[in-house]
Amino acid sequence: MKYPGIPAALALLLSGAASAQSSVQMYGVLDMWAGRSETSAGGPASSVVNSGGLQTSYWGFGGAEDLGAGLKAIFAVEGYLLLDTGTGGRTTTDALFARNAYLGLQGAAGELKIGRVLNPLFVATAQSNPFGGSIRLGPLLAQVWSVPMGRTVYGDTSWDNAIAYTTPVAGGVKLATIIGLGETSFGTRTNNVGATATYEQGPWMATLTAQRVRVGPGLATVGESEQRTYFAGASYNLGLAKLFASWNTAINQVERGKGKTAQAGVAVPAGPGSILLSWAQTRSSGAPLADTRRDTGALGYQYALSKRTELYAVFQNDKLSSASLGKTYAVGMRLRY
């Protein structure tokens, strides 16, 4: 930046002050795995090299500008990647910035975001199991969010046309609320709403979420279908091990289907990494999977090469009550930058 008519030394100081008031970062996660992939009722097993084993690969830019008086303007634009093919998005239908694309304000009164925003329910599910945000290999997220495993929760992991507000942390508690506007004429039923309360203090984490979706993936007819989801999750760090548990129910208001999912897991530090163990069970009744039960278990090990890079190996069993057992073996690598 140039300052005409200002001495060089003063211009340097001004330039430094300007850069100190704003910042932009590039960041993301790159995750690849190879092995045998098979889900119950999902067809024959296949040998694969896939993107997104422990976490869906993504890249992004984010930043903040100091507006003074403790207030900041914030933004983020983040898109998913399929590293195995070099294409953008989780699928061919994803937008360029399908993970996050928002502007907002952050200050003593909390944080406000407007745009496409990560769903607080997705964040809560990721916090409540030892496999974190793994939709493919983690039993909880596979049953809740993955289409091949009969997803129980409808709507996307990020919402379009959203207004999201998160309160400041008080006594270890924060509240995140979100509304996704359907952008249709008044009187139509196309708005999504959700709220998540999270408590984090010492070894404890507990979270409660309720959401209602009327538009998004999984819903049969926009403006006519509706699903309500209630989720509770918790973790406790014993030092020698970290325990996880969760429960949720998803109720389809129009199709009259219901899915209930319970999950338990543990992460045990072992050498330079951790042993991960988790089991989830979903019982479905009514549409779309009438009176079925799905059990999914996974055992894995994360080996930390550095603070940002790790290797992992995961074995997963998946069994739908009406189909044969599916087995997945995965060896992969994750890099955060």
Side-chain angles (χ1 to χ4, degrees), residues 111-153:
E111 186 175 80
L112 178 69
K113 299 175 181 176
I114 302 176
R116 181 170 170 87
V117 182
L118 203 62
N119 184 352
L121 174 58
F122 175 75
V123 177
T125 57
Q127 289 178 309
S128 303
N129 82 98
F131 285 86
S134 175
I135 293 179
R136 175 58 187 89
L137 300 176
L140 174 61
L141 270 67
Q143 292 190 4
V144 170
W145 298 106
S146 169
V147 173
M149 292 196 189
R151 61 177 304 167
T152 58
V153 173

Side-chain angles (χ1 to χ4, degrees), residues 15 69 80 113 118-119 127 129 136 153 156 165 169 215 229-230 244 250 292 295 297 306 329 334 337:
S15 176
Y80 292 107
K113 299 175 181 176
L118 203 62
N119 184 352
Q127 289 178 309
N129 82 98
R136 175 58 187 89
V153 173
D156 206 349
Y165 170 70
V169 177
V215 61
T229 300
Y230 306 95
F244 298 84
T292 59
D295 288 277
S306 69
Y329 307 91
R334 176 169 62 177
Y337 65 92

